[in-house]
Amino acid sequence: MSDENGIPCLSGERKSNASTYLPTLFALGASSAAGDALAQNQNSTQTNGYGGVTSTLTGDAGQAVLGKALSGGMRDTADWVKARYGQTFDAIYVPPGMKVAIHITKQLAIDYEEKGRKVNYGFSLSQAGTGLD
């Protein structure tokens, strides 16, 4: 795509959702990490003689549960935001009426029916008991 002179740069207004999408994901991620830290802070871990790690609840069980709940809830909310709003987008809004050139570099397969297509709704008004609802 280019302007009418073939210059591949169109002037217009930049539109993007990054300014709201990315800070939202950052805040949700930070909240999830804070919940993880709160839950992990209630446990003590140590390495045993066999190379394994043992974790024991030594702090407040309520705080550990709260941290896990906060972490899981924020993670689920972040997943929902990602699914609902997709990804960030950037676009250039070009005012109506601006002339642009579209450069096609490979053949496009267009399914063109010369006689047109007909739609069959599967009923006839001439048959008894049939017709529109």
Side-chain angles (χ1 to χ4, degrees):
M1 183 181 279
S2 67
D3 69 4
E4 61 186 331
N5 299 316
I7 299 171
C9 181
L10 299 175
S11 60
E13 182 182 348
R14 183 181 180 141
K15 302 284 187 178
S16 176
N17 71 343
S19 64
T20 56
Y21 181 73
L22 295 176
T24 300
L25 287 182
F26 174 79
L28 291 170
S31 298
S32 179
D36 281 336
L38 178 63
Q40 289 176 0
N41 193 37
Q42 306 307 314
N43 293 309
S44 296
T45 58
Q46 54 185 207
T47 306
N48 61 30
Y50 301 106
V53 177
T54 304
S55 179
T56 307
L57 179 65
T58 55
D60 185 349
Q63 291 291 313
V65 170
L66 177 64
K68 286 292 187 183
L70 178 65
S71 174
M74 291 298 112
R75 196 172 301 115
D76 289 345
T77 303
D79 290 343
W80 181 85
V81 167
K82 288 176 188 176
R84 177 85 175 177
Y85 295 105
Q87 299 177 358
T88 60
F89 70 87
D90 295 307
I92 302 297
Y93 172 75
V94 178
M98 182 175 178
K99 293 185 179 184
V100 297
I102 306 294
H103 306 277
I104 300 173
T105 58
K106 63 181 181 178
Q107 183 173 347
L108 301 175
I110 299 174
D111 179 18
Y112 178 72
E113 183 67 41
E114 289 186 21
K115 294 183 180 179
R117 291 187 168 86
K118 294 183 181 180
V119 178
N120 182 355
Y121 292 104
F123 70 89
S124 171
L125 293 175
S126 63
Q127 296 174 350
T130 62
L132 298 175
D133 292 337

